[in-house]
């Protein structure tokens, strides 16, 4: 099974071009964003819209088939952040230096697995912020909820 074109189109529309993990905006400079299976197929995830999100190339590459990890703070196993069922602001905190802090077990584990705070990724975020492209519009819309 592959994601249908209709579902892929809907995932892109729903996300407004925003990576649902790191909040980078897909631009002409980006490697094309990908449709991520939140629960990987190998773990029983399906191709429904409830299991799909838009992910930048880097977040999707680091996430791979992972669905859980250890919380780096407590070393307790936890599921990764689920953009369909969880609110970004309840799990992550964008710092003034453009790093993304995890503020829940899921947020910390996801920030670690997806390597959200690699120095070059922070620099990219800062540059996007200077252009007025970060965090992307979807983040602003979610913040109002
Ligand atoms: Zn991302």
């Amino acid at each position: 099974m592959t994601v249908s074109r209709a579902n892929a189109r809907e995932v892109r529309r729903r996300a407004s071009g925003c990576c649902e993990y790191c909040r980078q905006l897909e631009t002409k400079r980006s490697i094309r964003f990908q449709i991520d299976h939140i629960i990987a197929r190998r773990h029983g995830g399906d191709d429904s819209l409830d299991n799909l999100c838009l992910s930048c190339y880097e977040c999707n590459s680091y996430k791979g088939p992972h669905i859980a990890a250890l919380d780096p703070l407590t070393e307790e196993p936890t599921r990764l952040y689920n953009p369909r069922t969880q609110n970004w602001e309840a799990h992550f905190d964008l710092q003034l230096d453009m790093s993304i802090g995890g503020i829940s077990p899921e947020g910390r584990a996801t920030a670690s697995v997806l390597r959200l705070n690699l120095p070059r990724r922070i620099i990219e975020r800062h540059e996007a912020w200077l252009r007025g492209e970060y965090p992307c519009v979807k983040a602003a819309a979610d913040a109002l909820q």
Side-chain angles (χ1 to χ4, degrees):
M1 291 273 292
T2 57
V3 176
S4 69
R5 285 187 184 191
N7 276 6
R9 205 169 25 246
E10 174 56 19
V11 169
R12 291 184 179 283
R13 187 207 61 75
R14 179 174 66 188
S16 309
C18 184
C19 173
E20 298 189 66
Y21 294 108
C22 75
R23 298 306 173 102
Q24 278 280 15
L25 183 66
E26 184 174 30
T27 69
K28 291 175 182 156
R29 290 176 297 277
S30 312
I31 298 174
R32 186 165 169 79
F33 283 16
Q34 303 175 334
I35 308 299
D36 174 54
H37 286 80
I38 298 165
I39 306 297
R41 288 189 188 114
R42 73 173 65 171
H43 296 295
D46 63 20
D47 295 334
S48 71
L49 288 170
D50 289 344
N51 189 43
L52 300 174
C53 74
L54 189 63
S55 173
C56 72
Y57 176 79
E58 290 203 69
C59 283
N60 199 37
S61 297
Y62 290 124
K63 180 172 176 284
H66 296 291
I67 57 172
L70 298 180
D71 175 351
L73 184 66
T74 65
E75 299 187 347
E76 291 291 319
T78 181
R79 297 181 75 139
L80 297 182
Y81 166 72
N82 182 328
R84 291 284 69 76
T85 61
Q86 296 175 309
N87 186 321
W88 196 91
E89 284 75 16
H91 297 277
F92 302 100
D93 188 27
L94 180 62
Q95 307 290 310
L96 289 175
D97 69 356
M98 295 292 143
S99 63
I100 297 174
I103 56 174
S104 70
E106 296 93 331
R108 288 187 292 270
T110 302
S112 174
V113 170
L114 275 57
R115 302 187 193 174
L116 296 181
N117 294 311
L118 287 176
R120 67 180 157 72
R121 298 192 76 186
I122 293 174
I123 290 169
E124 287 170 6
R125 255 178 246 136
H126 186 72
E127 290 172 350
W129 178 78
L130 290 173
R131 292 189 302 267
E133 296 172 351
Y134 190 85
C136 53
V137 174
K138 176 74 165 45
D142 281 354
L144 298 175
Q145 292 177 356

